[in-house]
């Protein structure tokens, strides 16, 4: 009797796992397709390259733009493993949500360092060049505390205004300007229904604000 119960339990778990795999895979593939379509509609790249991250957890996209102030637009999408019955609950604890990393390379030169990092988000915060030389303070944006690191306060004020202009400001986990790599960076929790508008506002910021004196001079 005990063996029968054990075998029944194994078959049940196997069946649920198979169902979770097909449903989760379908959902993640639909999300990837949606994000590609929504971002491409905004960026309209001259050329594009995609790198599959393996399984059904996401991809990296590299877009050659050469328009406005955008030379290149790169982004990485990582999705929760919705297709894995066993790993999905663990990922909810470790990764917490889907993630989108935007790397924008403008034509204009970024001359000063500035970061806004949502407090408590990173378990191990990424290293920042010459952090000891930057000014530091904590500011509130949309009810969330952010650590501000900067050379000039007006740079952080402009980044704060960008975050506040987005559909769900609290979804922005890290935004930065890095002179060493000449990169404008945004890390966020993406939302399928608003990703197009958010990318549009981020691109507008790069085209209009990065060319202005607070960042490029």
């Amino acid at each position: 009797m005990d063996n029968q119960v054990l075998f029944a339990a194994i078959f049940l778990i196997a069946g649920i796992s198979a169902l979770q795999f097909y449903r989760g895979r379908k959902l993640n593939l639909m999300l990837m397709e949606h994000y590609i379509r929504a971002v491409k509609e905004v960026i309209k790249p001259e050329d594009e390259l995609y790198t599959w991250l393996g399984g059904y957890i996401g991809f990296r996209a590299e877009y050659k733009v050469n328009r406005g102030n955008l030379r290149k637009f790169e982004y990485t999408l990582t999705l929760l493993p919705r297709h894995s019955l066993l790993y999905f609950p663990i990922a909810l604890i470790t990764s917490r949500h889907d993630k989108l990393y935007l790397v924008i390379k403008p034509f204009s030169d970024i001359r000063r360092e500035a970061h806004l990092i949502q407090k408590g988000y990173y378990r191990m915060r990424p290293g920042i060049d010459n952090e000891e030389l930057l000014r530091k303070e904590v500011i509130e944006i949309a009810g969330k505390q952010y650590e501000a690191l900067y050379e000039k306060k007006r740079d952080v004020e402009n980044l704060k205004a960008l975050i506040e202009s987005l559909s769900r400001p609290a979804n922005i986990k890290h935004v930065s300007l890095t002179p060493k790599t000449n990169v404008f960076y945004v890390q966020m929790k993406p939302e399928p229904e608003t990703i197009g508008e958010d990318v549009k506002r981020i691109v507008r910021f790069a085209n209009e604000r990065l060319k202005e004196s607070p960042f490029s001079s």
Side-chain angles (χ1 to χ4, degrees):
M1 185 64 180
D2 289 341
N3 286 340
Q4 289 180 341
V5 172
L6 177 60
F7 287 139
I10 291 173
F11 284 126
L12 178 62
I13 292 173
I16 295 173
S17 296
L19 183 62
Q20 178 74 21
F21 175 81
Y22 288 110
R23 286 183 174 178
R25 180 185 66 172
K26 181 178 179 181
L27 178 55
N28 273 11
L29 288 173
M30 288 174 61
L31 285 170
M32 284 189 270
E33 182 181 356
H34 172 79
Y35 284 123
I36 288 174
R37 185 170 58 250
V39 174
K40 274 187 65 177
E41 188 174 328
V42 175
I43 303 301
K44 296 179 174 59
E46 285 186 359
D47 196 11
E48 55 197 278
L49 174 66
Y50 298 93
T51 304
W52 193 256
L53 296 184
Y56 304 96
I57 61 169
F59 62 89
R60 182 183 179 206
E62 301 175 60
Y63 291 164
K64 181 180 178 182
V65 185
N66 287 335
R67 188 175 62 257
N69 193 33
L70 269 66
R71 185 167 57 89
K72 289 185 178 179
F73 184 99
E74 302 172 358
Y75 66 102
T76 301
L77 175 71
T78 59
L79 300 173
L80 292 171
R82 295 176 176 86
H83 55 288
S84 174
L85 179 66
L86 299 179
Y87 187 54
F88 183 63
I90 298 172
L92 285 174
I93 298 172
T94 57
S95 297
R96 292 171 279 185
H97 53 75
D98 296 337
K99 297 177 182 179
L100 186 66
Y101 308 83
L102 307 178
V103 176
I104 297 172
K105 299 181 179 181
F107 284 108
S108 59
D109 292 331
I110 296 171
R111 300 185 184 276
R112 292 196 298 271
E113 192 94 17
H115 295 259
L116 279 173
I117 303 171
Q118 192 174 108
K119 286 184 69 65
Y121 179 70
Y122 288 117
R123 290 182 176 87
M124 292 187 64
R125 203 183 69 181
I128 297 173
D129 287 339
N130 300 316
E131 182 175 345
E132 67 280 1
L133 302 178
L134 300 177
R135 299 178 184 178
K136 301 178 180 66
E137 65 176 288
V138 175
I139 63 175
E140 183 173 314
I141 306 174
K144 295 287 186 178
Q145 298 290 310
Y146 285 79
E147 183 181 6
L149 301 96
Y150 57 90
E151 294 179 59
K152 288 198 175 182
K153 181 66 176 286
R154 60 181 177 174
D155 298 345
V156 163
E157 290 172 347
N158 278 280
L159 292 177
K160 178 176 181 286
L162 168 65
I163 293 176
E164 290 174 332
S165 75
L166 300 177
S167 58
R168 299 186 186 180
N171 280 4
I172 306 302
K173 310 304 179 182
H174 186 176
V175 58
S176 66
L177 296 160
T178 307
K180 184 177 180 179
T181 54
N182 207 58
V183 159
F184 168 37
Y185 171 80
V186 179
Q187 181 182 343
M188 64 189 293
K189 174 187 176 185
E191 302 286 351
E193 63 272 18
T194 58
I195 188 61
E197 284 302 314
D198 285 341
V199 170
K200 192 178 296 184
R201 291 187 178 98
I202 290 168
V203 167
R204 185 181 302 129
F205 182 89
N207 279 329
E208 297 177 0
R209 304 307 295 274
L210 291 189
K211 295 174 73 173
E212 296 179 357
S213 58
F215 300 110
S216 58
S217 64

